[in-house]
Amino acid sequence: MQTMELIAQAGRGLHGLDYGIILVYMVAVLALGWHLGRTQTKGEDFFLAGRKMPWFAVGLSLVATLLSTLTYLAAPGEVIQHGLALAIGWLGLPIAFVVVNFVWIPFFMRLRVTSIYEYLERRFGLAARWTAAALFVFVLRLLWMAAIVFTASAAVAQITYPTVTNILGDISPGGWTLTVLLSVGILATVYTMIGGITAVIWTDVIQFICLFAGLIFTLVFVAIDTGSGPLDWWRTTTESAGGGHEFPALFSFDLTDRNVILFTLLSMVFWYTCTFIADQVAVQRYLTIPTVREAIRGNIVQFVADFFIMIMLAACGMALLHYYLDPAFQAEIFAGITDPTDPRVADKVFPHFIANGLPIGVSGLVVAALFAVAMSSIDSGVNSVATVLTIDFVKRTRPAITAQAELRLARIFSLVVGLACTAMAVLMLAIPEHYNIIGITLRTFNCALGPMGGLFILGIFLPRVSQKAALIATFVGLGIAVWIAWCLEIQWLLGLAEYASFAEMSDAVVGPSPFLITPMATLSTILLGWLLSFLLPNQDQERARTLTWKAVTSEQPD
């Protein structure tokens, strides 16, 4: 992979003060995890914090968790490489907020479940529950966590390599990246295993503050160095950058057109809608809050903070594009490459600026933010996967398990899951360089999100749909997602596309827009499930109606 060569490109790097800040942060996180884990005596404490977490902490925790380094690094890189289509798509957040706030939260809070996949067994049967749980564990979140460890480690290794070689001597770029990767994965695993969901949420609050500060410092120092502001950055991105950065089209009949506002709007709305109905990582946060009213407040905090963070990430991308296109600041970013829009370096422009454009001390704080946003996602994923493995598989087959044994098992699962995602991250070092982070995320683990969301929607709103119809629709939806995501590669493997090698493929030529994957997979699952319900109808529709949204949300309002 070319990343190893790019990391070797010398730069200013970090200084002693920067490393001191990073060390203090790591020690503080481990200490907090140990402190919060001492009072846990049963599985519910580890999974749901006794359902007593404050709403504001849960809201900020969700921002840090769902943001992840994938978005923290990818959003500026996407703007730098492809322009503003994705950033404008974030205007769909208010639509997703309404759905989550007034539809999903009241429903799941009144179910009183630990794992959201318990609902699928009540509604459809055990096969539906285990199918969704398996997709969550082995596709959606293990790959997600591995991608986070990989991207965070590559960025931190890139930033720290120049000074590390002065301290440790002759160490290869690949060896240093691997060292950072193992450190990030193991640290997040250890404090999650010790502290459970309580530690996850409170450390996420700290991590939110770090990542927010990192963006503020970046924007301020670009503005000071270049004497520019947001209007200048906007003009550079939409007028001066060229190469497809012009203001994106509102609509296109060409599904292969990547930068279309409608496509990104649909992607954002469907991603959030499906995440907050089918993803244990997101829904589990609200299950730690005692009442529906407080959960809604937490959701308001999450969406408002998320919206502002997304706007700042887009501004960061525009600012960095302006910075590196300015002749006065144009620099060799990597190995002779000065063009920030080059696909090989667009995702690495932000880390390069952190190491070389920020003052000493501030660089350390922003690197701590990178660690923060990575570990806030990893710890959440580890805890939620451990929850699903314990509740949906072990406790489902061994209902007599004691509370102490359940807690012990959850910690063992946390350790195993954390080590597994770290190992998978090592394998991701082989990903071709031309795939940018947004492309990787949309075309890998997110392929499972739409079908999983469709499965829940079928159960919640269509009592006529049987388990068999729902499962067939889910797997067909998954197949459609994979086809949209990898159609060109699949055709190449089948000999239907004439590409000499995968290296010739890039996000610019890979079939349908990746932003259509989740919307089309979700809608396909729902439509097919509804049609199959006429051929394979549910035989007990009266019982199914008691588990629909209307029936569940009409119970015991709080």
Side-chain angles (χ1 to χ4, degrees):
M1 183 180 181
Q2 295 175 349
T3 300
M4 300 302 100
E5 300 172 11
L6 298 177
I7 288 171
Q9 179 67 24
R12 189 202 72 193
L14 303 186
H15 287 69
L17 178 61
D18 299 313
Y19 287 110
I21 292 172
I22 297 168
L23 180 61
V24 168
Y25 168 78
M26 290 182 172
V27 172
V29 164
L30 284 173
L32 183 61
W34 173 80
H35 173 72
L36 295 174
R38 291 183 304 166
T39 59
Q40 294 174 352
T41 59
K42 55 186 179 181
E44 187 176 43
D45 294 334
F46 188 86
F47 301 136
L48 300 179
R51 302 183 192 267
K52 297 177 181 178
M53 291 301 298
W55 53 268
F56 73 89
V58 171
L60 294 180
S61 169
L62 267 169
V63 177
T65 293
L66 296 179
L67 185 64
S68 81
T69 50
L70 299 176
T71 308
Y72 198 69
L73 295 174
E78 175 74 11
V79 171
I80 290 169
Q81 184 177 349
H82 292 290
L84 292 168
L86 177 63
I88 296 172
W90 290 326
L91 296 177
L93 278 174
I95 300 172
F97 166 78
V98 171
V99 175
V100 174
N101 219 47
F102 299 106
V103 183
W104 300 156
I105 287 179
F107 180 79
F108 281 108
M109 289 291 291
R110 291 187 176 116
L111 281 177
R112 304 294 292 181
V113 294
T114 299
S115 163
I116 60 174
Y117 309 114
E118 295 175 58
Y119 168 76
L120 293 177
E121 181 176 4
R122 297 183 196 175
R123 171 61 181 85
F124 291 119
L126 184 58
R129 176 180 183 176
W130 279 356
T131 296
L135 286 174
F136 168 79
V137 171
F138 298 109
V139 180
L140 184 60
R141 284 315 174 200
L142 271 182
L143 283 174
W144 176 69
M145 288 185 288
I148 289 167
V149 174
F150 163 68
T151 54
S153 302
V156 172
Q158 171 193 328
I159 293 167
T160 57
Y161 184 75
T163 50
V164 165
T165 53
N166 295 331
I167 299 171
L168 301 180
D170 187 18
I171 180 173
S172 69
W176 177 237
T177 301
L178 183 60
T179 300
V180 174
L181 188 153
L182 293 174
S183 300
V184 170
I186 292 172
L187 177 62
T189 300
V190 169
Y191 84 78
T192 304
M193 181 180 67
I194 295 172
I197 193 70
T198 307
V200 168
I201 290 176
W202 282 116
T203 52
D204 280 356
V205 173
I206 298 171
Q207 289 156 355
F208 171 82
I209 295 171
C210 288
L211 66 92
F212 189 81
L215 290 175
I216 290 291
F217 280 124
T218 297
L219 294 174
V220 168
F221 283 105
V222 168
I224 292 173
D225 280 350
T226 62
S228 61
L231 290 178
D232 302 301
W233 307 338
W234 176 275
R235 282 193 291 268
T236 296
T237 304
T238 58
E239 298 174 11
S240 305
H245 286 69
E246 61 275 357
F247 195 80
L250 177 62
F251 175 76
S252 174
F253 287 103
D254 183 2
L255 298 185
T256 65
D257 192 343
R258 190 183 196 279
N259 296 332
V260 177
I261 293 175
L262 178 62
F263 295 171
T264 58
L265 281 170
L266 289 173
S267 180
M268 287 298 103
V269 171
F270 276 84
W271 186 87
Y272 273 94
T273 300
C274 291
T275 294
F276 283 90
I277 189 178
D279 187 346
Q280 177 73 15
V281 169
V283 182
Q284 187 174 341
R285 287 296 191 284
Y286 292 124
L287 300 181
T288 66
I289 301 176
T291 67
V292 173
R293 186 175 292 107
E294 289 181 81
I296 288 174
R297 291 174 184 167
N299 185 51
I300 293 172
V301 170
Q302 189 262 321
F303 270 87
V304 170
D306 210 15
F307 184 78
F308 280 106
I309 286 287
M310 293 301 187
I311 296 300
M312 290 175 64
L313 284 169
C316 182
M318 292 190 293
L320 292 173
L321 184 62
H322 178 87
Y323 183 89
Y324 284 103
L325 288 178
D326 188 327
F329 298 96
Q330 196 169 60
E332 184 181 61
I333 302 171
F334 293 110
I337 302 173
T338 59
D339 180 8
T341 65
D342 189 304
R344 293 170 294 174
V345 303
D347 284 331
K348 300 175 182 66
V349 170
F350 190 14
H352 183 268
F353 181 80
I354 292 170
N356 300 284
L358 292 177
I360 297 170
V362 176
S363 292
L365 177 64
V366 180
V367 173
L370 288 176
F371 273 115
V373 74
M375 290 189 292
S376 68
S377 303
I378 298 166
D379 58 27
S380 303
V382 168
N383 184 270
S384 295
V385 170
T387 300
V388 170
L389 290 173
T390 303
I391 299 300
D392 290 288
F393 293 101
V394 175
K395 195 169 183 179
R396 174 60 180 77
T397 55
R398 294 172 53 196
I401 187 173
T402 65
Q404 292 77 15
E406 185 181 326
L407 176 59
R408 183 168 57 253
L409 186 63
R411 285 181 167 150
I412 292 172
F413 276 142
S414 295
L415 177 62
V416 172
V417 169
L419 295 178
C421 78
T422 303
M424 292 174 68
V426 174
L427 298 177
M428 286 189 170
L429 292 171
I431 292 175
E433 191 68 30
H434 59 262
Y435 291 117
N436 79 339
I437 297 175
I438 289 291
I440 292 171
T441 59
L442 292 173
R443 300 172 66 203
T444 52
F445 50 84
N446 272 343
C447 285
L449 183 61
M452 291 172 67
L455 176 60
F456 272 93
I457 290 170
L458 289 172
I460 293 172
F461 294 106
L462 299 174
R464 182 183 179 86
V465 178
S466 65
Q467 176 171 251
K468 186 176 293 187
L471 288 178
I472 292 173
T474 299
F475 284 112
V476 171
L478 182 62
I480 290 172
V482 171
W483 172 258
I484 297 172
W486 301 99
C487 68
L488 199 64
E489 286 86 348
I490 293 172
Q491 292 177 62
W492 185 84
L493 290 172
L494 295 175
L496 302 176
E498 296 182 1
Y499 279 89
S501 68
F502 283 111
E504 295 182 19
M505 301 179 187
S506 69
D507 288 327
V509 295
V510 179
S513 169
F515 297 117
L516 293 175
I517 295 171
T518 301
M520 293 183 72
T522 306
L523 293 174
S524 298
T525 301
I526 296 170
L527 179 60
L528 182 58
W530 174 70
L531 291 174
L532 286 174
S533 70
F534 294 96
L535 298 174
L536 303 167
N538 182 10
Q539 299 302 315
D540 191 359
Q541 294 184 36
E542 288 304 314
R543 187 192 65 82
R545 285 191 180 90
T546 66
L547 294 168
T548 59
W549 184 86
K550 183 177 181 180
V552 172
T553 56
S554 63
E555 299 173 0
Q556 73 263 3
D558 50 13

